[in-house]
Amino acid sequence: MSQPPISRYPVPRLAELPDDIRARIAEVQEKAGFVPNVFLTLAHRPDEFRAFFAYHDALMLRESGLTKAEREMIVVATSGANDCLYCIVAHGAILRVYAKDPFVADQVAVNYRKADITPRQKAMLGFALKVALRSQDIGDDDFTALRVHGFSDEDIWDIGGIAAFFALSNRMANLIGMRPNPEFFLLGRVPKG
Amino acid sequence: MSQPPISRYPVPRLAELPDDIRARIAEVQEKAGFVPNVFLTLAHRPDEFRAFFAYHDALMLRESGLTKAEREMIVVATSGANDCLYCIVAHGAILRVYAKDPFVADQVAVNYRKADITPRQKAMLGFALKVALRSQDIGDDDFTALRVHGFSDEDIWDIGGIAAFFALSNRMANLIGMRPNPEFFLLGRVPKG
Amino acid sequence: MSQPPISRYPVPRLAELPDDIRARIAEVQEKAGFVPNVFLTLAHRPDEFRAFFAYHDALMLRESGLTKAEREMIVVATSGANDCLYCIVAHGAILRVYAKDPFVADQVAVNYRKADITPRQKAMLGFALKVALRSQDIGDDDFTALRVHGFSDEDIWDIGGIAAFFALSNRMANLIGMRPNPEFFLLGRVPKG
Amino acid sequence: MSQPPISRYPVPRLAELPDDIRARIAEVQEKAGFVPNVFLTLAHRPDEFRAFFAYHDALMLRESGLTKAEREMIVVATSGANDCLYCIVAHGAILRVYAKDPFVADQVAVNYRKADITPRQKAMLGFALKVALRSQDIGDDDFTALRVHGFSDEDIWDIGGIAAFFALSNRMANLIGMRPNPEFFLLGRVPKG
Amino acid sequence: MSQPPISRYPVPRLAELPDDIRARIAEVQEKAGFVPNVFLTLAHRPDEFRAFFAYHDALMLRESGLTKAEREMIVVATSGANDCLYCIVAHGAILRVYAKDPFVADQVAVNYRKADITPRQKAMLGFALKVALRSQDIGDDDFTALRVHGFSDEDIWDIGGIAAFFALSNRMANLIGMRPNPEFFLLGRVPKG
Amino acid sequence: MSQPPISRYPVPRLAELPDDIRARIAEVQEKAGFVPNVFLTLAHRPDEFRAFFAYHDALMLRESGLTKAEREMIVVATSGANDCLYCIVAHGAILRVYAKDPFVADQVAVNYRKADITPRQKAMLGFALKVALRSQDIGDDDFTALRVHGFSDEDIWDIGGIAAFFALSNRMANLIGMRPNPEFFLLGRVPKG
């Protein structure tokens, strides 16, 4: 009833939105069964919305040496470091679904070093957190260390680019007080069958 | 001669680039007299390039309660906090030009609290740095404090959005080792006349 | 099959344990339906086990101005600050059950300031985190601020005592690599009906 | 005359206390010649008092690969990191007595790296401080490094357990404003003879 | 016998030293009964020695609104924050002597907020620590807050100047591994008479 | 016109100053073409002025294994870490002049790790920043690492001594709100010819 708002800013109604944005939202709703609040809240500014999702797709949908689950791990780990509730909950759900693992998202959000993931994935997340928290310290040694685990330079751009993009995303979510949809909290926790 | 490279990643030649990107670069070159390295280095990935500059323009060129110089102040102050040489030097130059002030960029990059700017601008930069460094602590009180200085909620989105976008930008520059053009160091330091 | 161990240290079998400890474990198993790993892993040292749970019960079961859900909020918030996966997951589950709220535990673990809780509870958690993270800064002003919200001095001891006890508990869990039971991840997330 | 109180909370008179607690206090008074304030101040809550000292004794009195002086070093070093005056002063005194060394306590409280102790003891204190300050970063490498110095896994539990227990103790002392007895400041500083 | 050296650098013999430095050392020896190691170790570089003690005397011996004990409090509090054993132990001794108080030095070194000193002295030490730890944040408000306690602007220069000078002194002591004389540990702890 | 003051404290007129200080100021004015504000503002206290510049000259003018440009690099890098506008701008100018390099000062002030300097110079600045920011952690290993780069122990004293002296200098500049002369901002940026 007195449900708290999902943003500090006005949330546009679908009917008000430009066609391309409404189409994008319809597409995600059909796929997910609900509209994640990031789409509704960022639609307050259509130009920034378009750039945001174009950037997101460029990184998250491209061909890459990283699996989709690995890319979501980067999102969850860096959002954990930034205390961004929306991204931890929403991308934690996506990670559970992609990885078919009900535990990995909570593990990675709290402390990737103790998560049930491979040493290669731990190296990946260690670098992503360095980009998130102290990118000024990145040096050639970091690239060398990742190459030892089989990452190409393009993979490293992917890791760093995702960490950098969610540095933006986490800050926008914290700025506008974006609230996660209730659906995300449970998604991927119960094995299907 | 043995000039260090401007990126850890391959820098495309103009001829290789898609038409829209080449046109964008030609435009900036005509305006500035040289091609800022951010255009050349990010062009390594055209889709991310397009989203990056679309986002940049959406924030930096829109109608706003913030002047263009104020928006550049936000860039310089938050890039200073992130130790991003490229952004401090390049946007410091742009700030000097917009503000017609040879001193303000160095002041703001080091310590905005002691810069020769207005109390309203100091409040703006204090909030921008909070978004940059600990966005999880943002609360309604921060909005109230900015409104006292006459900022509208849309202005506050602008402040926070610019800080958030350059959180991304600084991390990309640090990731790829982006190097500032020599031209930027002197720009706006010598009064014209 | 190749399930990771629940502790860096040997985990005693129930049959090996002293009677009082085995009885305590049987009791919790009957109540919860499984044995939380904190009981099995700390039983490696019976004397410390007894003191640990005596301390726990003295704080968590006593008559208090804090509800049981509020006490669990303190555990979850401070364990979040200490990145202790076991305590976040296990006590997050207990909090969901006590509060009959599937969302509050994740909210409090990430950022209590944005959780759907009362101002009084936010003041309580702010103080608990001060005890957890910089107890040397506690002063009379902190007590005054809590009294404004109706907390008695004994309530304040409860808040600080729980934060202090879980400072110990989080460190033990991190020391021995304590692993949360799978059951906790889902507990309290699905509304009964 | 206007001596500041030894606790923010009421300090019970001996006559009011349960028999077992009064007996414990009488015992320490006979041994030390005075009643350390930690006994009087924590007696405000008998159940927590009992659990506290049971835990203390389980760690500090047990058979161990660590000498009693080494265990006090851990207390002093971690209490120094937590700025806990009571524990630095009281356990500094005990350390001086056990180690028969008038200098080591001040050295360890300020900077164990420069103290006149063995490399093995420096490794021990480095680990204790990691448990005290960032236990989430503990990994298998830390265990390996300690084993090189001859510590068994049970010794490592002792080190970590003492650091964890005094994480609790320091916070309680800071919470209630526990004040060290004047006697402690001089104890063990003057060589007997 | 195998006493550790008092400096990482060569310690000159008195006979080798320039006359003015030897005279200064003779003077302090006569007054204190021993030669504090800071004199012997810094004499390795006569020019820096002369400037160091000229600066020291200019601040510590001048007419001031601060008592000598208050000036030593500043030294002890900021040296505590910098973990400088030599300065804590040596100036802690001097503070005990000047203040005729065997407890205040340990209190101030660990946590001035809980020391038995006046509110005015707490304000003084709060400002001194700001100069020591984050001088970039000093603003006009800090000056206003000190004036409320009756400090003149010259007093504030004294406070800040002493904190700044011991920022140098602490770093030199840590650089060369300066070791406190045994005499300092006990000085001023036993009431005379 | 309404030019902000160059110090929070009274700035003496030249005629009021003692002869030796006036002579020193005349000398620097002749050499530089203007009087750097550090001379005018610190002259408020002649005794401290004399000790300050005696210390400065003892370190910066002595025979050393470090070039003058390298010594200025240390000043700029540590002043950058301390957010001291005066020292960054004034010594950045001197560094540009000594190094005949218009870029190195901005590079070193922001992030020496990415500056166009030698590995030996990066080791030097890494150590200088350790002295500036956490001198308590300096150990024999730091000396060994510098010797590998060919630094003698006297060179290491120079590095650490300069970092320590500017720890004092930065704090004094921040205390009194020292303002850089406009001349410094441009000095050394335009190649002569």
Side-chain angles (χ1 to χ4, degrees):
Chain A
M1 204 173 246
S2 72
Q3 183 117 320
I6 62 172
S7 170
R8 282 196 176 93
Y9 284 84
V11 178
R13 280 169 306 152
L14 286 175
E16 302 169 326
L17 288 170
D19 286 352
D20 62 319
I21 292 179
R22 202 167 50 236
R24 170 87 196 227
I25 290 176
E27 184 189 14
V28 71
Q29 181 167 25
E30 186 167 316
K31 199 169 154 193
F34 62 97
V35 184
N37 289 337
V38 67
F39 289 91
L40 296 174
T41 56
L42 292 189
H44 174 62
R45 289 208 173 172
D47 287 345
E48 296 169 39
F49 176 103
R50 291 183 187 103
F52 182 91
F53 287 105
Y55 213 125
H56 174 276
D57 293 354
L59 283 165
M60 302 302 277
L61 305 182
R62 78 190 295 271
E63 287 296 304
S64 163
L66 312 181
T67 67
K68 286 195 173 179
E70 285 170 341
R71 285 180 255 186
E72 294 296 332
M73 277 181 203
I74 295 169
V75 181
V76 173
T78 59
S79 299
N82 288 327
D83 292 346
C84 179
L85 185 68
Y86 184 88
C87 297
I88 294 171
V89 171
H91 288 272
I94 302 172
L95 171 54
R96 287 191 295 269
V97 170
Y98 282 165
K100 298 183 203 309
D101 178 337
F103 309 129
V104 67
D106 292 302
Q107 292 172 349
V108 162
V110 173
N111 191 348
Y112 79 92
R113 280 176 298 263
K114 301 194 177 165
D116 298 320
I117 56 178
T118 65
R120 183 179 182 272
Q121 289 166 338
K122 290 186 184 179
M124 174 186 81
L125 295 180
F127 182 73
L129 284 165
K130 191 167 186 177
V131 173
L133 298 177
R134 39 192 188 91
S135 68
Q136 58 268 57
D137 294 347
I138 294 172
D140 294 339
D141 289 356
D142 295 304
F143 280 71
T144 307
L146 287 170
R147 288 183 198 120
V148 168
H149 285 282
F151 290 106
S152 72
D153 280 12
E154 292 305 316
D155 294 339
I156 299 175
W157 180 305
D158 286 345
I159 299 169
I162 294 169
F165 177 72
F166 280 88
L168 156 63
S169 180
N170 292 169
R171 281 160 182 77
M172 285 309 298
N174 281 332
L175 174 70
I176 70 174
M178 196 185 292
R179 195 180 161 82
N181 308 57
E183 289 85 345
F184 281 127
F185 287 82
L186 196 58
L187 208 70
R189 292 196 182 273
V190 191
K192 293 190 180 168
Chain B
M1 206 173 243
S2 71
Q3 184 117 319
I6 62 172
S7 169
R8 282 196 176 94
Y9 284 84
V11 177
R13 280 170 304 153
L14 286 174
E16 301 169 326
L17 289 170
D19 286 350
D20 62 319
I21 292 179
R22 203 168 48 235
R24 169 87 196 227
I25 290 177
E27 183 189 14
V28 71
Q29 182 167 24
E30 187 168 313
K31 197 169 156 195
F34 62 95
V35 184
N37 289 335
V38 66
F39 290 91
L40 296 175
T41 56
L42 292 189
H44 175 61
R45 290 206 172 174
D47 287 346
E48 296 170 38
F49 176 103
R50 290 183 188 103
F52 182 91
F53 287 104
Y55 213 125
H56 174 276
D57 294 353
L59 284 164
M60 302 302 278
L61 304 182
R62 77 192 295 272
E63 286 296 304
S64 164
L66 312 180
T67 68
K68 286 196 174 179
E70 285 171 341
R71 285 180 252 187
E72 294 296 331
M73 277 182 204
I74 296 169
V75 181
V76 173
T78 58
S79 300
N82 288 327
D83 291 344
C84 178
L85 184 67
Y86 184 87
C87 298
I88 294 171
V89 171
H91 289 271
I94 301 172
L95 171 53
R96 285 190 297 268
V97 170
Y98 283 163
K100 297 185 205 307
D101 179 336
F103 309 129
V104 67
D106 292 302
Q107 291 172 349
V108 162
V110 173
N111 192 349
Y112 78 93
R113 280 175 299 262
K114 302 195 177 166
D116 298 321
I117 56 177
T118 66
R120 183 179 183 270
Q121 289 167 337
K122 289 187 186 180
M124 173 187 82
L125 295 180
F127 183 72
L129 284 166
K130 190 166 186 178
V131 174
L133 298 178
R134 39 193 189 90
S135 67
Q136 59 270 53
D137 294 348
I138 294 171
D140 293 339
D141 289 354
D142 295 303
F143 279 70
T144 306
L146 286 170
R147 285 182 200 121
V148 168
H149 285 281
F151 291 106
S152 71
D153 281 12
E154 293 305 315
D155 295 338
I156 299 175
W157 180 305
D158 285 344
I159 300 169
I162 294 169
F165 177 72
F166 280 89
L168 156 63
S169 180
N170 292 169
R171 282 161 180 76
M172 285 308 298
N174 281 331
L175 174 70
I176 71 174
M178 196 186 294
R179 194 181 163 81
N181 308 58
E183 288 85 347
F184 282 127
F185 287 81
L186 196 58
L187 209 67
R189 291 195 183 273
V190 191
K192 292 190 183 170
Chain C
M1 205 174 242
S2 72
Q3 183 118 320
I6 63 172
S7 170
R8 283 197 176 92
Y9 284 84
V11 178
R13 281 170 304 151
L14 286 174
E16 302 169 326
L17 288 170
D19 286 351
D20 62 319
I21 293 180
R22 203 167 49 235
R24 169 86 196 229
I25 290 177
E27 183 190 15
V28 70
Q29 182 167 24
E30 186 168 315
K31 196 169 157 195
F34 62 96
V35 184
N37 288 337
V38 65
F39 289 91
L40 296 175
T41 56
L42 292 189
H44 175 61
R45 290 209 173 172
D47 287 346
E48 296 170 39
F49 176 103
R50 290 183 188 103
F52 183 91
F53 286 104
Y55 213 125
H56 175 275
D57 293 354
L59 283 164
M60 302 302 277
L61 305 182
R62 77 191 294 272
E63 286 297 303
S64 163
L66 312 180
T67 67
K68 286 196 174 178
E70 285 170 342
R71 285 180 253 187
E72 294 296 331
M73 277 183 204
I74 295 170
V75 180
V76 173
T78 58
S79 300
N82 288 326
D83 292 346
C84 179
L85 184 67
Y86 184 87
C87 297
I88 294 171
V89 171
H91 289 272
I94 301 172
L95 171 54
R96 286 191 297 268
V97 171
Y98 282 164
K100 297 185 205 307
D101 178 337
F103 308 129
V104 68
D106 292 303
Q107 291 172 349
V108 163
V110 173
N111 192 348
Y112 77 93
R113 280 176 300 263
K114 302 195 177 164
D116 297 321
I117 56 178
T118 66
R120 183 179 182 271
Q121 289 167 337
K122 289 186 186 180
M124 173 187 82
L125 294 181
F127 182 73
L129 284 165
K130 191 166 187 178
V131 173
L133 298 177
R134 38 194 188 90
S135 68
Q136 59 269 57
D137 294 348
I138 294 171
D140 293 339
D141 288 355
D142 295 304
F143 280 70
T144 306
L146 286 169
R147 286 182 199 122
V148 168
H149 284 281
F151 291 107
S152 71
D153 281 12
E154 293 304 315
D155 294 340
I156 299 175
W157 180 304
D158 285 345
I159 300 170
I162 294 170
F165 177 72
F166 280 89
L168 156 64
S169 179
N170 291 170
R171 281 162 180 77
M172 286 309 298
N174 280 331
L175 174 70
I176 71 173
M178 198 186 292
R179 197 181 162 79
N181 308 56
E183 288 86 346
F184 282 126
F185 287 81
L186 196 57
L187 208 69
R189 291 195 182 273
V190 191
K192 293 190 181 170
Chain D
M1 205 174 244
S2 72
Q3 184 118 317
I6 62 172
S7 171
R8 281 198 177 92
Y9 284 84
V11 177
R13 280 171 302 154
L14 285 174
E16 303 169 326
L17 289 170
D19 287 351
D20 61 320
I21 292 180
R22 203 168 48 236
R24 171 84 197 228
I25 289 177
E27 183 190 15
V28 71
Q29 182 167 23
E30 185 168 314
K31 198 169 155 193
F34 61 97
V35 184
N37 288 337
V38 65
F39 289 91
L40 295 175
T41 56
L42 292 189
H44 175 61
R45 289 207 173 173
D47 286 346
E48 295 171 39
F49 176 103
R50 290 182 188 104
F52 183 91
F53 287 104
Y55 212 124
H56 175 276
D57 294 354
L59 283 164
M60 301 303 276
L61 305 182
R62 77 191 295 271
E63 286 296 305
S64 163
L66 312 181
T67 67
K68 287 193 173 179
E70 285 171 341
R71 284 180 254 186
E72 293 296 332
M73 278 182 204
I74 295 169
V75 180
V76 173
T78 58
S79 300
N82 288 328
D83 292 345
C84 179
L85 185 68
Y86 184 88
C87 297
I88 294 172
V89 171
H91 288 272
I94 302 172
L95 171 53
R96 286 191 296 269
V97 170
Y98 282 164
K100 297 183 203 308
D101 178 336
F103 309 130
V104 68
D106 292 302
Q107 292 172 349
V108 162
V110 173
N111 191 348
Y112 78 92
R113 280 177 299 264
K114 301 195 177 165
D116 298 320
I117 55 177
T118 66
R120 183 179 183 270
Q121 289 167 337
K122 289 187 186 180
M124 174 186 82
L125 295 180
F127 183 73
L129 284 165
K130 191 166 187 178
V131 174
L133 298 177
R134 39 193 189 89
S135 68
Q136 59 270 54
D137 294 348
I138 293 172
D140 293 340
D141 288 355
D142 294 304
F143 279 70
T144 307
L146 287 170
R147 286 182 201 121
V148 167
H149 284 282
F151 290 107
S152 71
D153 280 13
E154 292 304 315
D155 295 339
I156 299 175
W157 181 304
D158 286 344
I159 300 170
I162 294 169
F165 177 72
F166 280 88
L168 156 64
S169 179
N170 291 170
R171 281 161 181 77
M172 286 307 299
N174 281 332
L175 173 70
I176 71 173
M178 196 186 294
R179 194 180 162 80
N181 307 57
E183 289 86 344
F184 282 128
F185 287 81
L186 196 58
L187 208 70
R189 291 196 183 272
V190 192
K192 294 190 180 168
Chain E
M1 205 173 244
S2 72
Q3 184 116 318
I6 62 172
S7 170
R8 283 197 175 93
Y9 283 85
V11 178
R13 280 170 304 153
L14 286 174
E16 301 169 325
L17 289 171
D19 287 351
D20 62 319
I21 293 179
R22 202 167 49 234
R24 169 87 196 226
I25 290 177
E27 184 189 14
V28 71
Q29 182 166 25
E30 186 168 315
K31 197 169 156 193
F34 62 96
V35 184
N37 289 336
V38 66
F39 289 91
L40 296 174
T41 56
L42 292 189
H44 176 60
R45 290 208 173 174
D47 287 346
E48 296 170 38
F49 176 103
R50 291 184 189 104
F52 183 91
F53 287 104
Y55 214 125
H56 174 276
D57 294 354
L59 283 164
M60 302 302 277
L61 305 182
R62 77 191 295 271
E63 286 297 303
S64 164
L66 312 180
T67 66
K68 287 196 172 177
E70 285 171 342
R71 285 180 253 186
E72 294 296 331
M73 277 182 203
I74 296 169
V75 181
V76 173
T78 59
S79 300
N82 287 327
D83 292 346
C84 178
L85 184 67
Y86 183 88
C87 297
I88 295 171
V89 171
H91 289 271
I94 301 172
L95 171 54
R96 286 191 296 268
V97 170
Y98 282 164
K100 298 185 203 306
D101 178 337
F103 309 130
V104 68
D106 292 303
Q107 291 172 349
V108 163
V110 172
N111 191 348
Y112 78 93
R113 280 177 299 263
K114 302 194 177 164
D116 297 320
I117 56 177
T118 66
R120 184 179 182 270
Q121 289 167 338
K122 290 187 185 181
M124 173 187 81
L125 295 180
F127 183 73
L129 284 165
K130 192 167 186 177
V131 174
L133 298 177
R134 40 196 187 86
S135 68
Q136 59 269 54
D137 294 348
I138 294 172
D140 293 338
D141 289 355
D142 296 303
F143 280 70
T144 307
L146 287 170
R147 287 183 200 120
V148 169
H149 285 281
F151 291 106
S152 71
D153 281 12
E154 293 304 315
D155 295 339
I156 299 175
W157 180 305
D158 286 343
I159 300 169
I162 293 169
F165 177 73
F166 280 89
L168 157 63
S169 180
N170 292 169
R171 281 161 181 77
M172 285 308 299
N174 280 332
L175 174 70
I176 71 173
M178 197 186 293
R179 195 180 162 81
N181 307 58
E183 288 86 345
F184 282 126
F185 287 81
L186 196 58
L187 209 69
R189 292 195 181 273
V190 191
K192 291 188 182 171
Chain F
M1 204 172 245
S2 71
Q3 184 118 318
I6 63 172
S7 170
R8 282 197 176 91
Y9 284 84
V11 178
R13 280 170 304 152
L14 286 175
E16 302 170 325
L17 288 170
D19 286 351
D20 62 318
I21 293 181
R22 203 168 48 235
R24 170 85 196 227
I25 291 178
E27 183 189 15
V28 70
Q29 183 167 24
E30 187 168 312
K31 198 169 155 194
F34 63 97
V35 184
N37 289 336
V38 66
F39 289 90
L40 296 174
T41 56
L42 292 189
H44 175 61
R45 290 207 173 174
D47 287 346
E48 296 170 38
F49 176 103
R50 291 183 189 104
F52 183 90
F53 287 105
Y55 212 125
H56 175 276
D57 294 353
L59 283 165
M60 303 301 277
L61 304 183
R62 76 191 297 271
E63 287 295 305
S64 163
L66 312 180
T67 67
K68 287 195 173 178
E70 285 170 342
R71 285 180 253 186
E72 294 296 331
M73 278 182 203
I74 295 169
V75 180
V76 173
T78 58
S79 300
N82 288 328
D83 291 346
C84 178
L85 184 68
Y86 184 88
C87 297
I88 294 172
V89 170
H91 289 271
I94 301 173
L95 171 53
R96 287 191 295 270
V97 171
Y98 282 164
K100 298 185 203 308
D101 178 338
F103 309 128
V104 67
D106 292 303
Q107 292 172 348
V108 162
V110 173
N111 192 346
Y112 78 93
R113 281 176 298 264
K114 301 194 177 166
D116 297 321
I117 55 177
T118 65
R120 182 179 183 272
Q121 289 167 337
K122 290 187 186 180
M124 174 186 81
L125 295 180
F127 182 73
L129 284 165
K130 190 166 186 178
V131 173
L133 298 177
R134 39 192 189 90
S135 67
Q136 59 270 56
D137 294 347
I138 294 172
D140 294 339
D141 289 355
D142 295 304
F143 279 71
T144 306
L146 286 170
R147 286 182 200 121
V148 168
H149 284 282
F151 291 107
S152 71
D153 281 12
E154 292 305 315
D155 295 340
I156 299 174
W157 180 304
D158 285 344
I159 301 169
I162 294 168
F165 178 73
F166 280 88
L168 156 63
S169 180
N170 291 169
R171 282 161 181 76
M172 284 309 298
N174 281 332
L175 173 70
I176 70 173
M178 197 186 294
R179 195 180 162 80
N181 308 57
E183 289 86 345
F184 282 127
F185 287 82
L186 196 58
L187 209 69
R189 291 197 182 273
V190 191
K192 295 192 180 168

